[in-house]
Amino acid sequence: MESLVLAIVANALLGLVFRLWGRSGIHVLPGILHNYLICVVLGIVSSGHWPFTSETVSQPWFPYSALLSLCFIGGFYLFGLAVDLWGVAIMSAVQKMSLLVSISFIVLYFHERPDGIQWMAMGLGITSLPFLVSYEKGENKRIRGKWTKGLFMAGGSLLVAGFIEAGLMVLEKEVLLTSGDPHFLTQLFAFAFLWGSIPMLALQRQRRAFWTIRHFQAGAILGLINFGSIFFLMKSLGSSQSLSLVLPVINVGTLLAAVGLGRFVLNEPLTRRHAAGIIMAIVSILVLSLNHWDGR
């Protein structure tokens, strides 16, 4: 239970940090890279292992870490940009519908079968997406002239988040010997830093920002939260609870917390359509969490 609560709090704070970055002029890519450096340090302290050794390459989770780390840096980057456009509440709702992707994976890979009500809930979740990313003139100045770009960012963030959840499920249940293995997490974050460094080397403005104190400070704060969000997510996935219960609880809890942060801390406006989309997303996740899968 403690891991579930901490995973919810950490995940909700991620969106808040990215929104504050947008208001403070922090560049997303260099900030994220500092975040991963902090995560690597935390992972080394937790595991007592250097991330790259000859023994590491022979570990069964090594190829997973290389692939998932690419998703981490790509999905995190898209999420950071999308939060600045859509806001914390809307993007948290969009990204948490990654549950649709991960549940589809549960059905196909773990052979868990939804009933009719759950199919309806999944349909409601899909229906919520057009409401969440709708836009009319005068409603949101940040999205003006960037709606198509914003759709790509939001959709990409959703799909990548679902793929990451599915990958972590397989790792926790079939590959890792220790739930929330800090050695694996260190490897994951180290690879993510390496992947993200490649495009930064080609972008002079991003390189210059990387070496500033303010970007290091911003990344350090995000790194502490990010490490906790992944660690406690994996601990929750590795618990004795059903996968199809843990993920919805984390997602709906994160969504509710993010809506509260966006509305009452950041004073983000919500249109009726956006509010309707958020409500549909919450109902969808609640129905899926309250109705367990048959044969789990």
Side-chain angles (χ1 to χ4, degrees), residues 59-92:
Q59 295 295 323
W61 45 256
F62 181 80
Y64 290 91
S65 66
L67 179 59
L68 278 179
S69 61
L70 183 59
C71 295
F72 267 52
I73 185 69
F76 219 31
Y77 182 71
L78 288 174
F79 180 68
L81 295 177
V83 165
D84 190 43
L85 286 174
W86 296 103
V88 175
I90 294 173
M91 260 317 297
S92 294

Side-chain angles (χ1 to χ4, degrees), residues 77-253:
Y77 182 71
L78 288 174
F79 180 68
L81 295 177
V83 165
D84 190 43
L85 286 174
W86 296 103
V88 175
I90 294 173
M91 260 317 297
S92 294
V94 170
Q95 194 186 44
K96 288 310 160 188
M97 293 318 297
S98 62
L99 180 66
L100 300 172
V101 178
S102 54
I103 281 183
S104 297
F105 178 81
I106 291 174
V107 171
L108 295 174
Y109 190 86
F110 292 103
H111 306 293
E112 298 192 19
R113 293 290 180 263
D115 57 26
I117 295 178
Q118 291 159 340
W119 281 120
M120 292 175 62
M122 292 176 70
L124 182 63
I126 294 172
T127 304
S128 72
L129 295 175
F131 285 81
L132 292 169
V133 294
S134 62
Y135 165 71
E136 290 184 2
K137 290 183 179 180
E139 287 185 348
N140 189 337
K141 295 180 180 179
R142 294 192 304 274
I143 202 68
R144 187 175 299 165
K146 301 178 181 179
W147 187 67
T148 302
K149 183 180 179 181
L151 284 180
F152 171 78
M153 293 175 181
S157 176
L158 184 156
L159 292 174
V160 174
F163 185 81
I164 289 172
E165 286 178 357
L168 292 178
M169 277 188 268
V170 174
L171 283 165
E172 277 291 342
K173 294 299 182 182
E174 299 185 354
V175 180
L176 295 179
L177 299 178
T178 303
S179 180
D181 187 349
H183 190 190
F184 166 73
L185 291 179
T186 307
Q187 180 76 55
L188 196 66
F189 293 129
F191 262 125
F193 175 80
L194 292 177
W195 288 124
S197 297
I198 296 174
M200 189 187 70
L201 292 175
L203 301 170
Q204 185 177 8
R205 188 179 180 186
Q206 303 289 342
R207 286 201 313 273
R208 271 188 290 208
F210 178 81
W211 296 107
T212 62
I213 295 297
R214 63 196 301 263
H215 279 81
F216 170 75
Q217 292 172 334
I221 294 172
L222 181 66
L224 292 171
I225 299 171
N226 190 24
F227 185 85
S229 71
I230 302 300
F231 178 78
F232 292 117
L233 171 62
M234 294 187 70
K235 292 288 286 186
S236 299
L237 292 175
S239 68
S240 59
Q241 296 291 331
S242 170
L243 285 174
S244 46
L245 176 62
V246 169
L247 283 176
V249 168
I250 290 177
N251 282 329
V252 75

